[in-house]
Amino acid sequence: MGKEKQIIEMLMELTQKMEKGFEEVKGEINEVKERLTELEENQDKTYDLLTTVSKRVSAPLDSSTDALDSSIDALAKRVWTVEKAVSSIQRRLLG
C-alpha cells in the first residue's frame, strides 16, 4: 500500500503542476489576445487615418485638375478663334 500511496501522491503533484502550467499558458494566451486586439484597433485607426489623408490629398488634386482642364479647353478655343481670324484675313488679302 505504501508504494500505491506514493504513486498517487506523485500523480497528484504532477496534476497540480500541470494545472499550474495550464493556468500560466492561459494567462499568456489572454495577454496575446489583448495585444492582438490593441494591434487590430491601432491598425483600424491607421487605416482610417490613411483613408482620410488620401481623400484630403486627392480632393484638391481633382479640383485643380478640373480647373486645369477647363483652362486648357478655354485656351484651345481662343487659339482656334485666332486661327480662324488669321485664315479669314489671309483669304481677304489674297482673294
Side-chain angles (χ1 to χ4, degrees):
M1 233 9 192
K3 285 188 176 185
E4 292 172 351
K5 191 174 182 179
Q6 283 180 333
I7 292 173
I8 291 174
E9 286 177 5
M10 287 174 46
L11 287 174
M12 293 298 286
E13 286 178 32
L14 185 58
T15 303
Q16 288 175 350
K17 287 180 182 178
M18 287 176 52
E19 287 176 358
K20 184 178 178 185
F22 287 141
E23 289 301 318
E24 288 177 15
V25 169
K26 283 182 185 178
E28 290 177 12
I29 289 173
N30 287 336
E31 286 180 24
V32 169
K33 284 181 181 179
E34 288 175 12
R35 289 181 189 161
L36 283 175
T37 302
E38 289 175 17
L39 286 174
E40 288 174 346
E41 289 171 357
N42 286 337
Q43 186 179 19
D44 290 343
K45 289 177 186 176
T46 302
Y47 178 78
D48 290 343
L49 181 63
L50 287 173
T51 303
T52 302
V53 168
S54 175
K55 287 178 184 177
R56 289 184 182 174
V57 167
S58 64
L61 291 177
D62 291 344
S63 63
S64 66
T65 302
D66 291 343
L68 195 60
D69 287 346
S70 64
S71 295
I72 291 171
D73 287 342
L75 184 59
K77 287 178 184 176
R78 288 182 189 155
V79 168
W80 176 249
T81 303
V82 169
E83 285 180 358
K84 285 189 343 187
V86 168
S87 178
S88 175
I89 292 171
Q90 285 177 340
R91 274 187 264 129
R92 281 190 217 154
L93 291 175
L94 295 174

